[in-house]
């Protein structure tokens, strides 16, 4: 889990280096994480990026009152690239430069409600594909005798890889949507049960008062006749 920065102004974040305890993801193409953000707290993470790469970040608030959170994305120079205020979800893509990008989820505006947050990172053009292509070229010896081109094979493999990665991303997002909808339904179920019990209690009290009032009326009549 990321390091906690409590009530730090945005202007001061520009002067901070990524803290030693902050969460760092390996340079894979796809990473996702779900965590609980307590009330009145702020969680920050950082991701090392290369020049001319692409960073796509999607987040969702799965549970918690209001289903909202503040989101900040800062460049390696400390500049605020994205700021979302009190939103339940968001998707942002930025072209990157060399350095560590920091993104924070802020729940300091809430005093009692914690939030369950899911986010996913998708990294493109991180240099791994080029290295894979260089590895393939080591085995190009004698390819002129074959009725195919190595570039065609690489293009097909990369196409399949991209589609599989997209499928995994969509499935992960669908699971996140399902989790959020389940939390909403369970919350509604608890509310319905609570107010049903309140209504039942009111009906029992009203019935008891009515019986008491009727008995009182009959008792008064008997006393007046004697």
């Amino acid at each position: 889990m990321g390091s906690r920065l409590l009530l730090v102004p945005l202007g001061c974040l520009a002067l901070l280096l990524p803290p030693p305890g902050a969460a760092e993801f390996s340079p894979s193409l796809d990473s996702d994480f779900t965590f609980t953000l307590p009330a009145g707290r702020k969680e920050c993470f950082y991701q090392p990026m290369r020049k001319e790469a692409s960073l796509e970040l999607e987040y969702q608030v799965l549970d918690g009152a209001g289903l909202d959170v503040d989101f900040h994305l800062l460049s390696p120079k400390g500049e605020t690239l994205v700021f979302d205020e009190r939103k339940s979800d968001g998707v942002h893509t930025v072209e990157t430069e060399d350095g560590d990008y920091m993104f924070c989820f802020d729940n300091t505006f809430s005093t009692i409600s914690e939030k369950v947050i899911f986010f996913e990172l998708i990294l493109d053009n991180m240099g791994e594909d080029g290295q894979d292509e260089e590895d393939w070229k080591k085995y190009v010896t004698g390819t002129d005798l074959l009725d195919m081109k190595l570039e065609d094979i690489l293009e097909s493999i990369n196409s399949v890889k991209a589609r599989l990665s997209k499928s995994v991303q969509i499935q992960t997002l669908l699971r996140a949507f399902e989790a959020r909808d389940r939390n909403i339904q369970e919350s509604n179920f608890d509310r319905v049960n609570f107010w049903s019990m309140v209504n039942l209690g009111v009906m029992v009290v009203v019935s008891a008062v009515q019986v008491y009032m009727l008995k009182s009326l009959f008792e008064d009549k008997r006393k007046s006749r004697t």
Side-chain angles (χ1 to χ4, degrees), residues 24-216:
E24 175 183 355
F25 294 96
S26 60
S28 60
L29 293 179
D30 193 352
S31 301
D32 58 85
F33 188 49
T34 302
F35 69 101
T36 299
L37 181 59
R41 302 295 290 272
K42 183 177 182 179
E43 295 283 353
C44 291
F45 306 84
Y46 76 98
Q47 173 61 47
M49 295 298 298
R50 298 182 180 180
K51 187 177 181 180
E52 298 181 352
S54 174
L55 170 63
E56 179 179 348
L57 191 149
E58 176 164 354
Y59 68 91
Q60 297 179 27
V61 182
L62 303 181
D63 194 16
L67 293 177
D68 55 357
V69 72
D70 290 344
F71 173 77
H72 309 264
L73 176 61
L74 292 90
S75 70
K77 298 178 181 178
E79 300 172 348
T80 300
L81 302 178
V82 177
F83 173 60
D84 291 341
E85 184 176 6
R86 305 289 291 272
K87 288 191 176 182
S88 60
D89 57 71
V91 181
H92 302 287
T93 303
V94 295
E95 301 298 324
T96 63
E97 57 186 16
D98 289 330
D100 298 322
Y101 283 75
M102 178 179 288
F103 53 97
C104 301
F105 298 93
D106 190 351
N107 194 32
T108 55
F109 59 84
S110 178
T111 57
I112 58 175
S113 177
E114 65 180 17
K115 307 294 173 63
V116 178
I117 300 175
F118 162 84
F119 67 87
E120 182 179 21
L121 295 176
I122 301 174
L123 313 180
D124 292 327
N125 301 326
M126 292 296 288
E128 294 181 350
D129 293 338
Q131 183 63 38
D132 293 340
E133 184 173 352
E134 292 297 329
D135 294 338
W136 272 87
K137 289 182 178 179
K138 296 178 181 179
Y139 304 97
V140 178
T141 305
T143 53
D144 293 339
L145 302 177
L146 301 177
D147 191 19
M148 63 178 63
K149 294 182 179 179
L150 181 60
E151 289 78 7
D152 296 335
I153 299 176
L154 289 175
E155 183 178 356
S156 299
I157 293 176
N158 289 331
S159 176
V160 172
K161 181 181 179 182
R163 293 180 181 180
L164 289 175
S165 299
K166 190 65 176 180
S167 299
V168 172
Q169 177 190 1
I170 293 175
Q171 291 175 0
T172 302
L173 295 180
L174 289 177
R175 287 197 300 269
F177 280 122
E178 180 184 1
R180 183 171 67 178
D181 293 342
R182 185 188 304 114
N183 290 329
I184 294 175
Q185 294 298 326
E186 290 177 353
S187 177
N188 291 337
F189 179 74
D190 293 337
R191 290 181 181 180
V192 170
N193 286 339
F194 173 76
W195 287 111
S196 297
M197 294 301 296
V198 171
N199 290 332
L200 179 61
V202 171
M203 291 175 61
V204 171
V205 172
V206 170
S207 300
V209 171
Q210 289 179 345
V211 172
Y212 174 77
M213 294 297 295
L214 288 174
K215 289 180 64 178
S216 299

